[in-house]
Amino acid sequence: MSKIIIEVKDLTKEFHVGDVTVRALKGVNLSITEGEFIAIMGASGSGKSTMLNILGCLETPNSGSYILDGVDMSELNKDALAALRNQKLGFVFQSYNLLPRTSAIENVELPLFYNNKVDAKERRERAEKALVRVGLKDRMGHMPNQLSGGQQQRVAIARSLVNDPVVILADEATGNLDTRTSYEIMALFQELNSNGKTIVFVTHEMDIARFTSRNIVFRDGQILRTEDVKERFNAVEMLKNLPVADAVETSKS
Amino acid sequence: MPLKCLKICLWRMLLKLLKVKEMNISNLLKLAIYALKRNRMRALLTMLGIIIGVASVIAMLAIGEGSKKSIKDQISSMGTNLVSVSPTSQHRGGVELGNAAAVSLTIKDMDAIRAECPSVSDLSPEVRANGQAVFSNKNWPTSLFGSNTDYLRIKLIEVSEGRSFTEQEVKGAAKVCLIGETVLENLFGKGTNPIGLSIRYKKVPFTIIGLLKSKGTNTYGQDQDDLLLAPYTTVQKRVLASTFFNSIQSSAIDEFSTKKAAAEMEQALRKSHKLKEGSENDFRIRTQEDLVTTSSSVSNVLTILLGAIAGISLLVGGIGIMNIMYVSVTERTREIGLRMAVGGRGKDILMQFLIESILLSIIGGVIGIFVGIGASQLIGLLMKWPVVVLPASVILSFLVCTVIGVFFGWYPARKAAGLNPIDALHYE
Ligand SMILES: Nc1ncnc2c1ncn2[C@@H]1O[C@H](COP(=O)(O)OP(=O)(O)O)[C@@H](O)[C@H]1O
Ligand SMILES: [Mg+2]
């Protein structure tokens, strides 16, 4: 039996906009075991991002319980949540969210600056290792505006890896990328997952979800169904089969 | 070593103040420096606001204070503990005779003062004639002053060449004179040695026995070197044919006794003029302090005016700092969101912004101090205007700008750091 990393019970979240109350999550139950590669699916507005943000401790639920790696979130204050994000979680955003005019390596180092146990030397070494791992060995000193979208997302993934989190959370991480680059990113995630990383990946694209091991489909703030992926795509294989024209066209990005 | 201790102490205090614990300050310092480097232009503009504010306050006040000091210096260069008596215009039968026709001061008054005023040390009459000094075919309009041998000491005039006249020459109304630099220049040419030469003033021939050391122009723009000086007896008998003095000049025994000397002289003169109880003085006594206070009240107004201008520039600089800091925090809300998402706590963010604004304010303030002092010196040099940099103005302007800079760096950051990470991250 693998260890349960994420355990969510009866989770609800409401937003108040003026007089209107939006019930973004209406009682969600979910558990994720170590080493899983989850895709959270669903139409736009179904509550996927809200779910992920709560899992990532960026937002607090209105009710329900959330236990991450044995720690009950509801008992933690803001600072403790920040420390948790710093040490147990890694984030990848749709819009990369890199610091502008800051080199790739310095962007990757950022989370470690908020960790007192890591000194300058270790910080640099770990950031370098993370960048090597995402295939950007030669781009460490490059600024975000000198990198393609796919490369910027790789930097963001390296940043999410650098603190060796128990789970990586990605929200539409391929949403801004073309097909080939998306598959390349998925290949990277698959490789990380095969090395044991737990990944929760929000997407509304069916084909992207086929790269993961389990799909959780949301509708109207609730889980519609959960299904294991039968014929899982292998991103490395898929890349080989992509049409050549597409490859030429997208090789720039 | 003590400096390092002080630094650590200050940090501890700051941390306690903000209730920040277990935070790696050197990391935050690095983050702050990276952030400043990344936004060089913004950092420069903020610093510029501080630099201009600090520098203008220092320079303006330095100019104001300089003018005050120069007036004081010039007044004290007018004489040593000076107390001077001049006749006032008198009403006789409704006819105002005017100052020139004043006839109230004579040798009798001199003797009275000498006899009855223990606080007076040096004492000299001053008579004055106006006319042309003539040497061969050149002439020059100038004043001929007459005095006794105390006069040079009272008025702080020095003889740069030759000698002054003697008691004997005063007694004998000798036709000798000392000559000022301006007169020398116009009659003989600069650098000529005039000793022993003879000039004529109102047809009276004078032998030049000495050259007066230059005193330059005074605060009121008068050339203090445009004069001839001779024994008062000579001027009275041979030039003016009069027995009256234009004024009596004296020195009090020390700088604290001028008031006392003035009071004693008033007594003595009222007695010698036989003025009845209750009647007005027919003379006026002024001490050097009287001159200092009137003049420095004028330059006080100047200093206040300059101070006001400086204050306004400080305010404008402050508003500039405020704006840039505020806009930058708004601009950087997404960055703040990201920092929180990867584990930065609210207080880490706040601390980083605080360090940024402290660095900017202090660096800007220090540069401002140097620019301010430099600009003051430059203005002094170019405009030949004395400048006195007031330590108080340096401290005050530096503190004000630093406080503004730090406050407006901290305040908007505090708001941003209180946001939910996801709200900050999605900030538009
Ligand atoms: N900060 C917010 N304020 C108000 N409503 C919000 C906020 N965030 C999300 N919502 C609402 O919650 C619902 C779920 O949103 P979201 O989780 O972003 O959906 P998804 O990511 O699946 O597209 C939507 O109706 C959205 O409008
Ligand atoms: Mg979404």
Side-chain angles (χ1 to χ4, degrees):
Chain A
M1 245 334 270
S2 306
K3 174 176 153 198
I4 291 180
I5 294 266
I6 286 173
E7 177 96 73
V8 166
K9 284 211 181 83
D10 296 326
L11 208 66
T12 68
K13 178 71 185 175
E14 290 174 359
F15 293 105
H16 300 277
V17 184
D19 293 338
V20 185
T21 301
V22 181
R23 297 178 66 202
L25 295 178
K26 306 173 189 170
V28 175
N29 293 289
L30 180 66
S31 71
I32 297 170
T33 40
E34 191 169 28
E36 274 196 289
F37 190 175
I38 304 279
I40 293 181
M41 311 245 326
S44 181
S46 56
K48 309 183 293 288
S49 293
T50 307
M51 186 66 215
L52 199 77
N53 291 339
I54 290 173
L55 292 182
C57 305
L58 293 174
E59 204 145 48
T60 44
N62 289 91
S63 68
S65 77
Y66 169 26
I67 292 166
L68 169 68
D69 201 21
V71 184
D72 188 345
M73 293 301 118
S74 57
E75 284 166 8
L76 300 181
N77 64 15
K78 267 187 159 185
D79 288 351
L81 288 176
L84 205 92
R85 289 196 294 272
N86 187 248
Q87 271 140 48
K88 297 208 168 183
L89 296 166
F91 265 99
V92 182
F93 304 94
Q94 179 173 356
S95 50
Y96 326 132
N97 278 329
L98 301 178
L99 290 182
R101 297 184 292 282
T102 303
S103 64
I105 183 100
E106 281 175 8
N107 261 295
V108 175
E109 279 181 323
L110 188 63
L112 301 181
F113 269 103
Y114 296 105
N115 185 344
N116 283 340
K117 293 181 203 93
V118 180
D119 63 19
K121 187 163 162 276
E122 188 187 346
R123 183 165 65 222
R124 184 49 57 123
E125 282 168 5
R126 280 171 72 170
E128 278 170 4
K129 245 172 75 187
L131 277 169
V132 169
R133 206 161 161 197
V134 300
L136 288 178
K137 194 168 183 252
D138 308 326
R139 303 294 169 110
M140 295 195 186
H142 286 216
M143 301 293 157
N145 64 358
Q146 297 166 329
L147 297 171
S148 70
Q151 288 167 335
Q152 288 185 55
Q153 195 60 298
R154 283 169 190 275
V155 175
I157 292 168
R159 183 178 63 196
S160 75
L161 282 173
V162 79
N163 58 350
D164 195 23
V166 294
V167 54
I168 290 178
L169 304 166
D171 193 352
E172 309 265 11
T174 58
N176 284 0
L177 304 173
D178 60 71
T179 311
R180 170 170 286 272
T181 318
S182 296
Y183 287 6
E184 283 167 2
I185 294 295
M186 291 320 288
L188 179 56
F189 275 117
Q190 281 192 332
E191 191 223 303
L192 294 174
N193 178 244
S194 67
N195 286 325
K197 249 326 153 232
T198 313
I199 298 168
V200 181
F201 195 100
V202 164
T203 182
H204 62 272
E205 292 169 276
M206 295 296 287
D207 59 332
I208 296 292
R210 295 278 300 271
F211 291 104
T212 67
S213 60
R214 185 154 69 108
N215 292 356
I216 297 172
V217 183
F218 271 68
R219 180 191 278 171
D220 263 353
Q222 281 175 315
I223 294 177
L224 184 66
R225 62 172 187 277
T226 299
E227 56 196 14
D228 289 332
V229 177
K230 301 261 164 43
E231 288 166 51
R232 198 173 163 189
F233 285 172
N234 181 313
V236 179
E237 293 297 317
M238 297 278 290
L239 278 166
K240 281 183 195 150
N241 298 336
L242 270 185
V244 180
D246 190 24
V248 170
E249 203 178 70
T250 59
S251 62
K252 284 181 252 119
S253 67
Chain B
M1 218 36 203
L3 218 118
K4 202 172 169 188
C5 280
L6 189 75
K7 230 171 71 184
I8 293 168
C9 266
L10 282 175
W11 270 123
R12 291 244 170 91
M13 269 166 55
L14 199 63
L15 293 185
K16 236 187 196 147
L17 214 70
L18 294 164
K19 295 200 186 74
V20 177
K21 284 179 206 124
E22 346 130 17
M23 188 195 298
N24 193 333
I25 287 300
S26 82
N27 275 359
L28 290 177
L29 191 66
K30 266 181 212 157
L31 287 178
I33 291 169
Y34 288 163
L36 289 177
K37 275 190 188 158
R38 211 161 53 234
N39 301 292
R40 255 184 215 119
M41 200 60 203
R42 191 177 60 209
L44 280 178
L45 286 175
T46 314
M47 278 197 325
L48 203 64
I50 297 173
I51 291 169
I52 290 172
V54 171
S56 60
V57 168
I58 291 174
M60 296 276 180
L61 292 181
I63 293 167
E65 189 62 19
S67 80
K68 218 160 36 178
K69 186 175 179 297
S70 87
I71 287 171
K72 270 186 194 154
D73 285 353
Q74 289 200 347
I75 285 168
S76 64
S77 81
M78 283 167 63
T80 325
N81 316 324
L82 195 67
V83 183
S84 67
V85 188
S86 50
T88 48
S89 51
Q90 293 168 45
H91 301 274
R92 284 198 188 147
V95 180
E96 182 155 336
L97 295 168
N99 209 26
V103 292
S104 67
L105 297 175
T106 64
I107 193 76
K108 249 175 59 206
D109 299 318
M110 286 273 295
D111 293 339
I113 293 170
R114 202 167 271 142
E116 293 167 33
C117 304
S119 300
V120 172
S121 59
D122 291 328
L123 186 66
S124 168
E126 184 183 277
V127 291
R128 179 177 179 165
N130 289 312
Q132 303 273 338
V134 183
F135 175 73
S136 71
N137 63 343
K138 287 193 202 134
N139 54 36
W140 178 251
T142 188
S143 297
L144 171 65
F145 284 85
S147 72
N148 69 14
T149 51
D150 285 356
Y151 193 72
L152 296 186
R153 266 201 311 279
I154 298 169
K155 290 287 206 170
L156 282 171
I157 301 171
E158 284 171 51
V159 177
S160 62
E161 211 129 351
R163 62 171 181 88
S164 178
F165 42 79
T166 60
E167 299 277 0
Q168 245 56 49
E169 284 166 329
V170 174
K171 275 202 183 114
K175 288 180 273 186
V176 292
C177 76
L178 294 120
I179 180 172
E181 281 282 356
T182 306
V183 182
L184 174 81
E185 221 170 282
N186 286 287
L187 288 184
F188 305 99
K190 203 178 172 126
T192 317
N193 185 352
I195 313 297
L197 296 175
S198 184
I199 56 166
R200 285 167 358 115
Y201 195 87
K202 295 220 170 168
K203 303 208 179 90
V204 183
F206 283 90
T207 305
I208 299 171
I209 56 170
L211 178 63
L212 298 174
K213 195 173 165 194
S214 173
K215 283 183 92 174
T217 47
N218 68 12
T219 330
Y220 314 105
Q222 282 170 337
D223 183 354
Q224 300 177 93
D225 301 324
D226 190 1
L227 81 166
L228 297 169
L229 185 63
Y232 76 98
T233 44
T234 318
V235 181
Q236 279 189 325
K237 282 182 197 153
R238 301 186 196 277
V239 180
L240 292 172
S242 137
T243 56
F244 299 117
F245 302 144
N246 289 77
S247 68
I248 294 173
Q249 306 287 337
S250 71
S251 285
I253 43 173
D254 58 50
E255 55 182 316
F256 312 107
S257 304
T258 51
K259 283 257 152 38
K260 199 167 153 218
E264 290 169 1
M265 280 161 85
E266 187 180 0
Q267 276 320 108
L269 287 171
R270 283 186 72 89
K271 213 163 105 191
S272 110
H273 288 190
K274 302 197 172 64
L275 294 176
K276 289 195 191 80
E277 192 88 15
S279 64
E280 259 178 62
N281 287 344
D282 56 357
F283 54 87
R284 187 160 82 157
I285 301 178
R286 270 185 300 189
T287 65
Q288 206 156 357
E289 278 125 51
D290 296 337
L291 294 169
V292 172
T293 37
T294 43
S295 306
S296 59
S297 72
V298 171
S299 61
N300 270 339
V301 172
L302 183 73
T303 306
I304 289 168
L305 202 73
L306 289 169
I309 296 172
I312 290 168
S313 39
L314 196 61
L315 193 73
V316 171
I319 291 171
I321 299 164
M322 208 168 95
N323 258 318
I324 292 169
M325 290 286 191
Y326 196 88
V327 168
S328 86
V329 170
T330 317
E331 256 176 29
R332 291 171 71 186
T333 302
R334 280 167 62 98
E335 176 194 326
I336 291 172
L338 174 73
R339 289 182 186 280
M340 292 201 276
V342 299
R345 295 170 301 177
K347 42 194 155 190
D348 295 328
I349 311 289
L350 191 57
M351 199 65 188
Q352 182 195 324
F353 273 74
L354 202 56
I355 295 171
E356 279 182 38
S357 50
I358 288 174
L359 283 178
L360 279 185
S361 304
I362 287 179
I363 295 171
V366 169
I367 296 175
I369 288 174
F370 282 110
V371 171
I373 293 174
S376 308
Q377 302 302 341
L378 198 70
I379 290 168
L381 228 79
L382 290 181
M383 301 184 57
K384 302 220 162 51
W385 187 293
V387 288
V388 178
V389 174
L390 288 174
S393 76
V394 173
I395 294 166
L396 185 85
S397 59
F398 181 80
L399 280 184
V400 169
C401 278
T402 312
V403 167
I404 291 176
V406 170
F407 179 76
F408 286 103
W410 167 78
Y411 181 72
R414 194 195 62 153
K415 276 172 67 184
L419 285 176
N420 212 355
I422 202 74
D423 293 337
L425 207 50
H426 289 162
Y427 189 85
E428 304 264 272

